[in-house]
Amino acid sequence: MAFSSESPMAKQWYIVHTYSGHEAKAMRALLERAKSMGHGDDFDEVLIPEETVVEMIKGQKRTSKRKYFPGYILVRMELNDETWHIVRGTPKITGFVGGDKKPPPISDEEVARMTQQIKEGATKPKPKIMFEEGENVRVVDGPFVNFSGFIDEVMQEKEKLRVMVQVFGRATPVVLDYTNVEKT
């Protein structure tokens, strides 16, 4: 490894591969290790790209996190011999993405786009379950609770469904949110 130590490099974003499901542990271990080795200032930020999703479980809305890239974290750091070894020697981290010896950075614009998606997901959670036309569903919330029907139309951009339910023996179209129904 021969990183130039004469001119200080600007901090850049790198993608780091971790054990899948251990992203948060790898992030904490990396930051603690960098700090204990006197290189805490060389690491600015570590991100786990994830989004907020909503699902219906037994009639209850549940919000959870879903990772965009399971097994990967984004690290903003100054790459030199010492920091390279700190990352490579951290438990739960398997290495850099894109070349282990001299990994390529990713652009600030790309990271900004991902963080914007994270912010949007936090304010408006995405549904975890996707629906298709013709599927049978049961209404779990609202004035048509416990009615069953089938999906006539899926309006993905609005996260709504037009469901045909039986009201007084006639098929009646009802527009519902994704979270108002569950698959049967």
Side-chain angles (χ1 to χ4, degrees):
M1 207 73 33
F3 295 104
S4 171
S5 58
E6 295 149 14
S7 64
M9 295 172 60
K11 291 180 181 157
Q12 294 182 299
W13 287 100
Y14 296 92
I15 303 173
V16 175
H17 189 260
T18 67
Y19 293 171
S20 189
H22 294 270
E23 297 85 357
K25 289 178 186 173
M27 177 181 79
R28 284 191 301 275
L30 176 61
L31 293 173
E32 288 171 13
R33 183 177 156 107
K35 190 175 179 183
S36 71
M37 296 178 82
H39 287 278
D41 293 339
D42 292 334
F43 293 82
D44 269 359
E45 215 177 331
V46 180
L47 293 176
I48 302 171
E50 58 190 2
E51 63 185 341
T52 306
V53 294
V54 174
E55 63 184 321
M56 293 298 287
I57 299 175
K58 296 180 182 170
Q60 299 288 319
K61 277 189 199 179
R62 296 253 170 92
T63 304
S64 61
K65 299 280 187 184
R66 178 172 54 196
K67 291 172 183 62
Y68 285 124
F69 310 113
Y72 297 94
I73 58 175
L74 303 175
V75 182
R76 183 170 171 81
M77 60 182 276
E78 184 177 315
L79 186 62
N80 56 42
D81 283 338
E82 291 82 19
T83 58
W84 184 89
H85 284 289
I86 289 170
V87 171
R88 290 286 296 142
T90 301
K92 310 274 189 261
I93 290 180
T94 58
F96 288 94
V97 172
D100 205 31
K101 299 296 182 204
K102 190 155 172 50
I106 60 173
S107 69
D108 288 342
E109 292 79 27
E110 186 70 19
V111 174
R113 190 176 59 76
M114 281 188 232
T115 54
Q116 183 61 34
Q117 284 179 322
I118 293 168
K119 287 176 191 165
E120 287 172 6
T123 57
K124 188 170 191 264
K126 291 184 177 178
K128 190 168 186 176
I129 299 171
M130 296 311 237
F131 295 96
E132 294 179 22
E133 289 179 16
E135 284 184 306
N136 290 322
V137 293
R138 185 173 66 84
V139 181
V140 294
D141 192 24
F144 295 97
V145 69
N146 293 326
F147 279 74
S148 293
F150 68 91
I151 298 172
D152 185 46
E153 181 184 359
V154 178
M155 299 169 255
Q156 282 187 330
E157 61 283 341
K158 295 180 181 178
E159 296 180 6
K160 294 195 180 284
L161 305 167
R162 184 167 61 212
V163 178
M164 301 301 283
V165 296
Q166 290 288 326
V167 179
F168 303 119
R170 301 176 76 188
T172 306
V174 179
V175 177
L176 301 165
D177 288 332
Y178 281 7
T179 56
N180 294 132
V181 300
E182 67 182 12
K183 293 182 181 184
T184 55

